[in-house]
Amino acid sequence: MPSGVKSEVRSYQMYINGEWVDSASNKTTAVIDPSTEEVIAQVPAGNVEDVNRAVAAARAAFDTGPWAASTPQERGRILFRLSEKIRENAAHLAEIESRNCGKPIVEAEYDINDAATCFEYYAGMATKVLGTVNPVPDNAVSLTMKEPMGVAAMITPWNYPLLMATWKMAPALAAGCTCILKPPGVTPLTALELTKWLPEVGLPPGVLNVVTGSGSVCGTALVRHPDVNKIAFTGSNSVGKGIIKEAADTLKRVTMELGGKSPNIFFADADFENAIDGALFGVFINQGEVCSAGSRILVERSIYKKFVEAMTEKAKTIRLGPPLERETKMGPMVSQDQYDTVRAYQELGKKEAKMSTGGGRAAKFAKGYYIEPTIFYDVDNSARISQEEIFGPVAVVIPFDDEKDAIRIANDTPFGLAGAVWTRDLFKAFRTVKALRAGIIWVNHMQPTYVEAPWGGYKQSGYGRELGPWGIEEYLESKQVHINLNEQPIGWY
Ligand code: NAD
């Protein structure tokens, strides 16, 4: 598009019971491009009535519709076709994700590819859900049958919008559940784009519904609704805790993928150049808006000074820019709110520690929520910038004396999502892996994520696991069946 021309504003509808509809509120919400601050779309501002319609559709589809009678093979084929649609339209989806989130286009392309792979993976897994025969001490056959949990509501965050939704929808649909997805208010577009292909791939009406709207209205209504059996949530700890309390009234199954403050630990014997790259990549990928960001960088004291200097020099060369430019390595924050939050932490950090680079708005951009990559060093692990999730491009660097000290500092956090350790000493690496209290540990890398391996946290980073066979288990119930083989009366009375 030539410069100066205002981008087209797309109008979206929600997807309920196989139809595209406006909200009963008749209101819409503007969606912003965070790099220009311009409105790029309008989406329906859903309300409780919309949620009720979506839940009724999902309930009916689960209880009596063709989905209830579908075979795992049929479900698998539908998911394969959906994955093909995502691949065919990957460039389109990546562009929308990049513009809506502010994430670099190259990273958005990875996300869309990963979403397609996730649908493929669970398409295959639909036919591999196995029950068991249990060795009971009786003349009987004892079986465990795996059955879909029912109506699953998915509430997702803005940092990886399509991918976080896919990690939930793909296993849920493979298991035979029906779904209501509530995408994040600021980045709902790729979820809505996906609905366009649902009729074409053969998904019956009501099986997957997408309701847009605020968390406080639509999210709460889903969590409270008695006909929803399961809530799959990815988001912040404060919202997650509220959802657990609300869900208790109807004893819903709940999975929680929450925040983190993950340690990225560098021993002196690590490959130095790789280590510097790993420290920066670990914390600044996706502008630092990553739940598993290695935002606490722990460095052995003998290399600490050199490490901070090298990190700082390289951080200054990170290319900030418009998300759609292929050379861009860091785009703007997703929203004005997130920009304000991160800016406040930058100011707090200046009071709590020393700063080697960054510390403010990226001044060369007249518009957009751009923030400089920021490094604080000589930080105490008890400082607020060490303990609280910032969710932006702000790193804290903390020195440590030895292995024991590194592990003590690394585990001194309420979170337990992820961690990484860099060393060439295999024994030291494994001792550290075992000692860290977190759900995901990388050795000599940080962030690679695979659909085949479990994702989820220890401690206050949540519970439940996504991806792999663990992911589909979260949408299945186990039914015990006992078949008596004795033909005589029970003989008790
Ligand atoms: P958020 O908690 O503000 O919002 C998440 C979702 O919850 C949104 O869809 C929102 O509309 C909805 N919501 C808000 N209030 C609600 C309520 N009262 N009831 C029901 N739903 C409500 O989180 P965010 O700012 O979108 O995302 C950032 C957070 O997500 C960070 O804490 C990050 O660590 C976390 N996250 C975790 C993972 C993981 O895998 N563990 C992955 C990505 C993001």
Side-chain angles (χ1 to χ4, degrees):
M1 190 168 305
S3 59
V5 177
K6 262 199 128 185
S7 52
E8 169 203 354
V9 177
R10 292 167 195 250
S11 245
Y12 287 85
Q13 292 179 297
M14 298 187 278
Y15 192 69
I16 298 179
N17 205 20
E19 289 174 5
W20 287 278
V21 293
D22 295 323
S23 167
S25 72
N26 250 324
K27 293 190 181 131
T28 60
T29 308
V31 177
I32 308 288
D33 174 339
S35 69
T36 62
E37 301 177 39
E38 281 174 9
V39 175
I40 52 171
Q42 291 285 344
V43 300
N47 64 12
V48 177
E49 206 179 309
D50 300 314
V51 168
N52 289 344
R53 273 191 298 153
V55 175
R59 188 78 256 167
F62 184 80
D63 290 341
T64 55
W67 196 246
S70 66
T71 66
Q73 277 197 357
E74 286 163 350
R75 296 200 293 273
R77 285 191 202 110
I78 288 172
L79 294 185
F80 268 125
R81 289 197 286 270
L82 193 51
S83 128
E84 279 164 14
K85 281 284 157 203
I86 293 173
R87 289 207 192 283
E88 281 163 25
N89 295 279
H92 170 69
L93 287 170
E95 184 183 327
I96 292 176
E97 199 80 307
S98 172
R99 285 189 74 197
N100 193 179
C101 302
K103 70 170 68 201
I105 182 71
V106 175
E107 291 184 34
E109 286 167 0
Y110 279 113
D111 295 358
I112 303 303
N113 182 56
D114 287 353
T117 304
C118 185
F119 275 112
E120 274 162 16
Y121 178 86
Y122 284 107
M125 188 161 283
T127 53
K128 284 142 202 95
V129 173
L130 302 177
T132 57
V133 179
N134 310 309
V136 293
D138 218 337
N139 183 27
V141 175
S142 174
L143 305 174
T144 316
M145 287 165 57
K146 291 289 185 181
E147 296 188 338
M149 212 164 252
V151 174
M154 287 118 189
I155 302 176
T156 51
W158 46 254
N159 60 338
Y160 290 87
L162 188 64
L163 197 55
M164 291 300 102
T166 301
W167 286 12
K168 296 167 177 54
M169 295 184 298
L173 294 171
C177 290
T178 57
C179 311
I180 304 116
L181 171 66
K182 196 214 79 61
V186 286
T187 61
L189 300 186
T190 42
L192 291 169
E193 289 283 331
L194 187 79
T195 63
K196 290 181 187 165
W197 304 304
L198 299 185
E200 199 180 328
V201 300
L203 203 73
V207 175
L208 173 55
N209 308 275
V210 180
V211 176
T212 50
S214 74
S216 54
V217 175
C218 295
T220 304
L222 283 168
V223 175
R224 287 183 182 162
H225 204 298
D227 282 343
V228 173
N229 304 105
K230 148 103 196 188
I231 297 287
F233 175 74
T234 300
S236 61
N237 285 45
S238 56
V239 173
K241 286 175 188 174
I243 288 177
I244 294 166
K245 287 179 193 154
E246 288 280 0
D249 279 342
T250 44
L251 277 172
K252 287 185 176 53
R253 280 85 178 111
V254 176
T255 41
M256 287 280 143
E257 296 286 349
L258 306 177
K261 193 76 187 178
S262 299
N264 199 359
I265 305 170
F266 295 90
F267 286 105
D269 69 335
D271 180 295
F272 192 79
E273 286 308 312
N274 277 345
I276 298 301
D277 267 6
L280 295 173
F281 184 80
V283 64
F284 293 143
I285 187 88
N286 204 47
Q287 303 78 239
E289 296 166 326
V290 181
C291 53
S292 55
S295 48
R296 283 187 303 144
I297 298 169
L298 277 48
V299 185
E300 193 160 4
R301 214 175 279 280
S302 59
I303 57 163
Y304 177 72
K305 189 166 176 285
K306 190 175 153 205
F307 198 99
V308 173
E309 283 167 5
M311 246 188 98
T312 302
E313 282 321 300
K314 211 156 190 182
K316 287 179 183 161
T317 68
I318 294 175
R319 189 176 169 126
L320 270 71
L324 291 177
E325 283 182 10
R326 298 199 71 77
E327 296 74 29
T328 292
K329 296 283 189 231
M330 205 185 275
M333 297 289 92
V334 74
S335 64
Q336 178 77 55
D337 276 359
Q338 193 58 18
Y339 172 90
D340 292 343
T341 301
V342 178
R343 281 287 299 111
Y345 274 111
Q346 285 177 315
E347 295 309 314
L348 174 67
K350 289 174 195 170
K351 294 186 196 125
E352 288 190 321
K354 296 177 188 154
M355 190 178 76
S356 67
T357 186
R361 178 185 167 77
K364 71 174 183 172
F365 302 97
K367 287 237 163 203
Y369 312 124
Y370 288 94
I371 294 250
E372 292 175 310
T374 300
I375 298 174
F376 291 109
Y377 67 103
D378 286 4
V379 192
D380 195 281
N381 194 54
S382 64
R384 280 184 57 202
I385 54 167
S386 300
Q387 289 292 314
E388 297 173 16
E389 186 182 44
I390 297 174
F391 223 58
V394 179
V396 306
V397 193
I398 303 171
F400 67 82
D401 295 324
D402 54 21
E403 194 179 318
K404 208 170 147 209
D405 197 31
I407 290 163
R408 178 188 61 77
I409 298 169
N411 283 336
D412 182 12
T413 166
F415 296 109
L417 185 57
V421 51
W422 300 68
T423 173
R424 291 185 200 154
D425 179 340
L426 190 64
F427 300 101
K428 197 189 282 184
F430 262 85
R431 281 196 302 269
T432 310
V433 165
K434 285 189 75 177
L436 290 176
R437 300 284 301 153
I440 304 143
I441 311 289
W442 292 282
V443 177
N444 294 330
H445 210 324
M446 190 160 207
Q447 302 307 354
T449 302
Y450 302 99
V451 68
E452 296 83 0
W455 184 271
Y458 283 20
K459 303 195 305 191
Q460 292 194 28
S461 289
Y463 42 77
R465 289 292 178 275
E466 296 195 298
L467 303 180
W470 303 268
I472 199 165
E473 277 295 326
E474 304 286 359
Y475 297 92
L476 293 166
E477 295 278 19
S478 294
K479 179 179 277 177
Q480 188 220 123
V481 182
H482 180 91
I483 305 164
N484 178 19
L485 299 180
N486 293 319
E487 294 193 54
Q488 299 84 16
I490 296 172
W492 186 260
Y493 301 106

